[in-house]
Amino acid sequence: MKEFELIKRLIPGLATNKETVVGAGDDCAVLDVGIAEKLLLFKTDAVVEGVHFTRDAGWTRVGRKALSRALSDIAAMAGEPISALVTLGLPSGFDFKNVEEIYQGIHERAALFDVSISGGETVRSTQGLFISISIIGWAPRSRLLLRKNMRRADALFVTGELGGSLTGKHLDFIARIEEAKWLAEHFEIHALMDVSDGLAGDLQRLMEASGLGIELLAEAIPVSKEAKIAARRGGPSALQRALSDGEDFELLFTVSASKAVELLDAWKERFPGLKLSCIGKVVAEKGIRILSKKRGPVELDCDGYDHFQ
Amino acid sequence: MKEFELIKRLIPGLATNKETVVGAGDDCAVLDVGIAEKLLLFKTDAVVEGVHFTRDAGWTRVGRKALSRALSDIAAMAGEPISALVTLGLPSGFDFKNVEEIYQGIHERAALFDVSISGGETVRSTQGLFISISIIGWAPRSRLLLRKNMRRADALFVTGELGGSLTGKHLDFIARIEEAKWLAEHFEIHALMDVSDGLAGDLQRLMEASGLGIELLAEAIPVSKEAKIAARRGGPSALQRALSDGEDFELLFTVSASKAVELLDAWKERFPGLKLSCIGKVVAEKGIRILSKKRGPVELDCDGYDHFQ
């Protein structure tokens, strides 16, 4: 959580200008560049060896992950990606063949969404490889889905299944660009973000941005098969893993409760292969509480951890 | 030079799309985002501890350098910067006070050109600090100053003085945003870039992009006081240092020879405190030759080194 603390302290002092609609603190920065119907999204995201991947993943998958994470930030604004730049930090003696494989992975994901890779640079890295991706995209001016737009009594939804991403999904996922665009076009979504730091941590962000609280239904949280298998081997429960593993890159959003059923029905028709779960609701009282049949309400801390264990 | 080799092999395979006017290979990527009179510039640039700076520089200066390098790339397209994102790679245990100092330096330079710092992220770095800056800006659609636009018989100019940047200028320089904008507005500049890898290396880039050659006048090259002082202590000559030290962040550009005198006069009036030197001309025959009164023409290699020593 250290990063969030650091960022929180820095944000109030960041330089702004007349183009800046949203600076730091949401999934992307949003800039008004004078186009009537659109706003420019601007984002950077890095993966670091030993932190976000290890070499045994294979370099193509590392490339996929690097671009997909940035694409997921564009998805989190229901945006359309345009172009990305790639900064490679290469340890000395790094094989060019591996660089080609990294680019192969990047290109695989770029091709899915017609994103250009408009250059970048390579720098020496004193230890370990890193890939920093900068990306720009468009968001519809009339449907800017900021975290702070969450409203009291909204229904809270999440796509896919959560937890256990480290077994492979964190490398191979496809950013939910299409799904987010469809959502923004067909429903009046209030707040949208991607689940990157674990459901509990990301809900904390929604909460802080909106000043509202969240009530989760434990039984409604979509726990992945991978989280269940891992839990059977010991350690945290499957639900705990779904709450805190992170790197799910699913969409987390809120919509008026009155639209919840209609949305679920339309979703099933449009994306029959992808689960959509209503996992709780937005409440006035701050904090994240999780309700289960067995235990009643339990307060979650920002890691989704201690209080629940 | 390894980076250039790597990039050269990667560029032909990079993904492109209909928005991409210029992908990799110039100072910035150039994107057509549908605004009549403007094109979007997009660039990323990183500084790495132990490569681009050492800790004894002081963190404010490191922050200055990080943003100024990216601003210099915008200047190299005669562009106007809009917004930047900051990716900080922090070694474990890095003091928050130092992060604040880095941001102070970044903000000093952002304020000079009304650039917003719209966020970014911090990642763990396994060893040494790095700062990667992503920047966007505008370039006038009608005056896109690409490297390949250099023409035969153009006069070649450089601003300021070259060499010895490591004594301090590489940390404290101010990107030539104003000067480049003025040049583009008042003269029909053909090719423009910033001198970041040393005059000889950057001329090589101009040459490769245009398919033309360059003839330099040794006596016309503006050698900095710092390069002269260093040369007196031994090692490479002052001229050699001006050719190959790098990190000068001056503007290098070409214009029709018939405009050279007019430009020099207008420059002196507009920027009386900043030297402008005509250092040579563009020729049809490929290669970079340097002419001096003492030695006659000598071929320069891409490092500006071996053949000249």
Side-chain angles (χ1 to χ4, degrees), chain B residues 174-194:
Chain B
I174 290 173
R176 302 286 187 209
I177 297 273
E178 286 308 321
E179 294 85 351
K181 245 175 78 178
W182 179 88
L183 281 169
E185 279 166 12
H186 292 85
F187 287 87
E188 203 195 310
I189 306 299
H190 293 159
L192 173 66
M193 71 183 294
D194 68 332

Side-chain angles (χ1 to χ4, degrees), chain B residues 16 28 35 46-47 56 68 82-83 87 92 98 108 141 146 181 201 212 222 224 230 263 268 281 289 291 302:
Chain B
T16 186
C28 295
I35 297 190
V47 292
D56 58 0
S68 292
I82 306 170
S83 181
T87 299
S92 61
N98 299 338
E108 279 177 21
R141 190 184 280 266
L146 304 181
K181 245 175 78 178
L212 296 167
S224 74
L263 193 157
K268 258 181 224 157
K281 65 179 178 188
R289 280 161 300 281
L291 281 74
C302 61

Side-chain angles (χ1 to χ4, degrees), chain A residues 269-286:
Chain A
E269 198 156 311
R270 177 64 184 82
F271 301 107
L274 182 61
K275 196 182 277 189
L276 179 66
S277 309
C278 180
I279 58 171
K281 64 178 178 189
V282 180
V283 295
E285 196 195 338
K286 280 194 189 183

Side-chain angles (χ1 to χ4, degrees), chain A residues 180-205:
Chain A
K181 245 175 78 178
W182 179 88
L183 281 169
E185 279 166 14
H186 293 83
F187 287 87
E188 202 194 310
I189 306 299
H190 294 160
L192 174 66
M193 70 182 295
D194 66 333
V195 187
S196 53
D197 298 306
L199 181 64
D202 289 325
L203 285 175
Q204 197 74 25
R205 245 107 278 142

Side-chain angles (χ1 to χ4, degrees), chain B residues 83-197:
Chain B
S83 181
L85 301 173
V86 179
T87 299
L88 277 181
L90 298 184
S92 61
F94 195 78
D95 190 353
F96 182 75
K97 266 216 80 58
N98 299 338
V99 175
E100 285 182 308
E101 282 179 30
I102 289 170
Y103 267 88
Q104 190 194 313
I106 289 173
H107 277 135
E108 279 177 21
R109 290 302 182 252
L112 291 179
F113 304 108
D114 190 28
V115 175
S116 69
I117 305 300
S118 302
E121 64 163 348
T122 58
V123 294
R124 264 183 287 158
S125 170
T126 38
Q127 193 187 303
L129 181 125
F130 70 85
I131 310 174
S132 171
I133 303 280
S134 301
I135 195 161
I136 56 171
W138 292 122
R141 190 184 280 266
S142 58
R143 292 187 296 271
L144 200 54
L145 305 181
L146 304 181
R147 297 175 184 180
K148 67 175 182 187
N149 295 350
M150 183 166 91
R151 296 186 202 166
R152 197 182 147 184
D154 272 0
L156 178 71
F157 284 89
V158 72
T159 62
E161 295 180 333
L162 306 176
S165 174
L166 262 181
T167 58
K169 183 182 176 186
H170 78 112
L171 296 162
D172 300 319
F173 73 100
I174 290 173
R176 302 286 187 209
I177 297 273
E178 286 308 321
E179 294 85 351
K181 245 175 78 178
W182 179 88
L183 281 169
E185 279 166 12
H186 292 85
F187 287 87
E188 203 195 310
I189 306 299
H190 293 159
L192 173 66
M193 71 183 294
D194 68 332
V195 186
S196 53
D197 298 306

Side-chain angles (χ1 to χ4, degrees), chain A residues 117-278:
Chain A
I117 305 300
S118 301
E121 64 163 349
T122 58
V123 294
R124 264 185 285 159
S125 169
T126 38
Q127 193 187 304
L129 180 126
F130 71 85
I131 310 174
S132 171
I133 302 280
S134 301
I135 195 160
I136 55 171
W138 292 122
R141 189 184 281 265
S142 57
R143 292 188 296 272
L144 199 54
L145 304 181
L146 304 181
R147 297 176 183 180
K148 67 174 182 187
N149 295 349
M150 184 166 89
R151 296 186 203 166
R152 196 181 149 186
D154 272 0
L156 179 70
F157 284 88
V158 72
T159 62
E161 295 179 334
L162 306 176
S165 174
L166 262 181
T167 58
K169 183 182 176 186
H170 77 113
L171 295 162
D172 300 318
F173 73 99
I174 291 173
R176 302 283 187 212
I177 297 274
E178 285 307 322
E179 294 85 351
K181 245 175 78 178
W182 179 88
L183 281 169
E185 279 166 14
H186 293 83
F187 287 87
E188 202 194 310
I189 306 299
H190 294 160
L192 174 66
M193 70 182 295
D194 66 333
V195 187
S196 53
D197 298 306
L199 181 64
D202 289 325
L203 285 175
Q204 197 74 25
R205 245 107 278 142
L206 272 184
M207 209 181 71
E208 283 165 16
S210 64
L212 297 167
I214 282 156
E215 239 172 60
L216 289 175
L217 298 165
E219 285 79 11
I221 292 170
V223 180
S224 73
K225 201 175 69 185
E226 290 74 16
K228 287 174 189 164
I229 292 170
R232 260 180 249 139
R233 295 200 190 112
S237 71
L239 177 60
Q240 182 61 67
R241 291 170 192 268
L243 285 167
S244 56
D245 276 1
E247 302 235 285
D248 300 299
F249 302 106
E250 295 294 346
L251 297 174
L252 180 66
F253 61 94
T254 79
V255 70
S256 291
S258 64
K259 294 282 175 195
V261 174
E262 188 189 328
L263 193 156
L264 277 166
D265 287 345
W267 179 276
K268 257 180 224 157
E269 198 156 311
R270 177 64 184 82
F271 301 107
L274 182 61
K275 196 182 277 189
L276 179 66
S277 309
C278 180

